[in-house]
Amino acid sequence: MSYEVKLDIFEGPLDLLLYLIRKNELDIYNIPMALITEQYLAHLEMMKALNLDLAGEYLVLAATLVHIKSKMLLPVEEGEKEGEEEADPRADLVRQLLEYQAFKEVALSLDKRKLLDRDVFKRIQPVEETPGEEEDSMVEVTLFELIEAFKQVAERMDKEDLLEIDTERISLSDRINEILEDLAREKSLSFTDLLKTSRTRKGIIYTLLAILELMKMRVVRAFQADPFGPIRIFPAVEESTDG
Amino acid sequence: MDDVRAIVEALVFASDAPLSVERLKDILGDMDRKAILEILQDLMLEYRQRSGGLCLMEVAGGYQFRTKTDYAPWIKKLRGIRPVPISPAAMETLSVVAYRQPVTRQEIEKIRGVDVSGSLKGLLEKKLVRIVGRKNVPGKPIMYGTTKRFLEVFDLKDLSELPTMREITEMEE
């Protein structure tokens, strides 16, 4: 048996499964589980042999395929057969495949549009200055330092006003978007200035949470020029790799 | 009338972002929407017919001059830098966001069957996708939606102009 090696083009386990169905000219509504499971597992073996990073999702689907296959080997009990749901063990998988296939088609049709900066171009807007070499000498700060800076601002605030009236309605996602918008405009923001823009204790807590969330998502990064120096927030810029 | 036509053309040319009819109406003063739309339609036709390098396009709720696709190779030479293409994986994630927004990362992953944090991050950086809120379920996961920039990049007037998705037929047996 020979298999075509086209591993790099698969966008995931569902993509691989769709490819196998197409290659064998199978009916998606009536997938022969034994055949497809065998070929799917053979592909995984090959990916392993080629030392490709085998993402966990591939193994999850492999388990699902084997599970469905075994379910289909079981004789259908009389009682079950008469029951309302005469469920095909493949139903969920088929639904998932069809949905994924529909989105794959959408993705292809989007890619065929006249994309800005690929197929069509508009007048160039003035290029904003990128932060200069000073960024290089900066050190990425840890969570500990962020909390320390936060504590300083919070403590100062405690002395300034103890009275707090809950009038400001804020949501974390609003704050996240505000910070992202500010960052897009300013290129970098001072951590303490960001905290100080919020007047209430609740406000600065939301700001801190928003920054932590953005850092967790790796959308922003925090840098510091010297120990105990001011912390600045930068948008994370390196290109993402995606499998 | 010819005068206004020239003004509209100049305004669209000089604007950084796609220029909306509302904005044109504000600037031009005593013109009604319909008349402005007629002028824009007329200009679009003229640019299509004059076999020049530009075309007037309706994108993201406004009008904008763009170069015709035939001349892309020359513009790329002029700009010198190659734009980072959107990977097929990112394109799939973007499609799910566009059609299912507001949508959480978990919901996208259920459809695509892979981890999408990488492609989501790339899309956030390219400003094609933004955070639109949090879903009111345990864990309050972040929900994502497309941006105005998405419409601009993909040559869409608005979200309703997205190509219709093939109906997902339920398996009935």
Side-chain angles (χ1 to χ4, degrees), chain B:
Chain B
M1 189 69 180
D2 278 350
D3 195 29
V4 186
R5 199 181 130 96
I7 296 169
V8 169
E9 187 183 13
L11 285 170
V12 175
F13 174 78
S15 171
D16 265 345
L19 196 56
S20 67
V21 177
E22 282 67 38
R23 187 93 177 90
L24 277 166
K25 197 169 171 288
D26 284 348
I27 297 167
L28 293 168
D30 59 346
M31 291 270 299
D32 65 29
R33 243 187 97 84
K34 203 165 154 265
I36 296 172
L37 268 173
E38 264 169 35
I39 290 174
L40 286 164
Q41 293 304 321
D42 203 40
L43 276 170
M44 278 170 95
L45 186 69
E46 185 193 318
Y47 272 88
R48 247 199 316 276
Q49 286 172 345
R50 72 176 270 272
S51 68
L54 299 179
C55 56
L56 182 56
M57 286 163 93
E58 193 184 347
V59 284
Y63 292 79
Q64 189 169 58
F65 281 113
R66 294 185 171 186
T67 60
K68 287 184 182 165
T69 49
D70 295 350
Y71 310 113
W74 279 270
I75 314 293
K76 281 176 185 159
K77 234 174 171 175
L78 171 76
R79 299 260 170 111
I81 38 162
R82 288 185 60 83
V84 191
I86 303 168
S87 71
M91 207 61 120
E92 283 181 16
T93 300
L94 184 59
S95 303
V96 179
V97 175
Y99 283 82
R100 289 286 160 88
Q101 56 186 311
V103 66
T104 65
R105 181 166 65 86
Q106 291 76 6
E107 287 161 350
I108 306 169
E109 288 178 345
K110 202 163 165 251
I111 292 171
R112 284 203 51 217
V114 289
D115 176 85
V116 299
S117 45
S119 57
L120 258 185
K121 187 193 163 210
L123 293 169
L124 282 167
E125 274 166 11
K126 286 196 165 87
K127 297 199 168 47
L128 296 171
V129 161
R130 67 190 182 96
I131 293 165
V132 291
R134 277 175 177 272
K135 193 167 180 167
N136 209 5
V137 295
K140 302 240 177 223
I142 289 174
M143 295 191 293
Y144 300 89
T146 52
T147 59
K148 198 172 171 185
R149 167 125 189 105
F150 164 72
L151 298 175
E152 267 191 72
V153 170
F154 283 85
D155 181 26
L156 295 160
K157 288 177 209 169
D158 51 57
L159 284 174
S160 70
E161 221 209 339
L162 278 170
T164 45
M165 198 160 99
R166 207 175 61 169
E167 284 299 307
I168 296 160
T169 43
E170 291 288 313
M171 190 162 95
E172 41 202 287
E173 230 179 289

Side-chain angles (χ1 to χ4, degrees), chain A residues 150-215:
Chain A
F150 170 75
K151 237 175 75 190
Q152 282 174 16
V153 176
E155 271 166 8
R156 216 170 304 145
M157 179 169 263
D158 279 346
K159 281 168 200 146
E160 279 166 17
D161 63 321
L162 288 163
L163 179 74
E164 195 159 305
I165 303 164
D166 191 12
T167 50
E168 200 184 3
R169 307 300 304 169
I170 31 176
S171 82
L172 187 52
S173 49
D174 285 348
R175 193 70 190 116
I176 288 176
N177 277 323
E178 275 171 31
I179 293 173
L180 281 177
E181 275 164 28
D182 287 352
L183 260 185
R185 208 172 38 244
E186 307 282 344
K187 291 292 153 207
S188 83
L189 297 165
S190 147
F191 181 66
T192 31
D193 284 354
L194 259 178
L195 289 178
K196 280 178 186 161
T197 51
S198 313
R199 303 207 64 85
T200 61
R201 219 172 310 168
K202 204 168 134 196
I204 65 166
I205 291 168
Y206 268 81
T207 304
L208 176 73
L209 288 177
I211 293 168
L212 291 177
E213 184 75 44
L214 286 167
M215 285 174 72

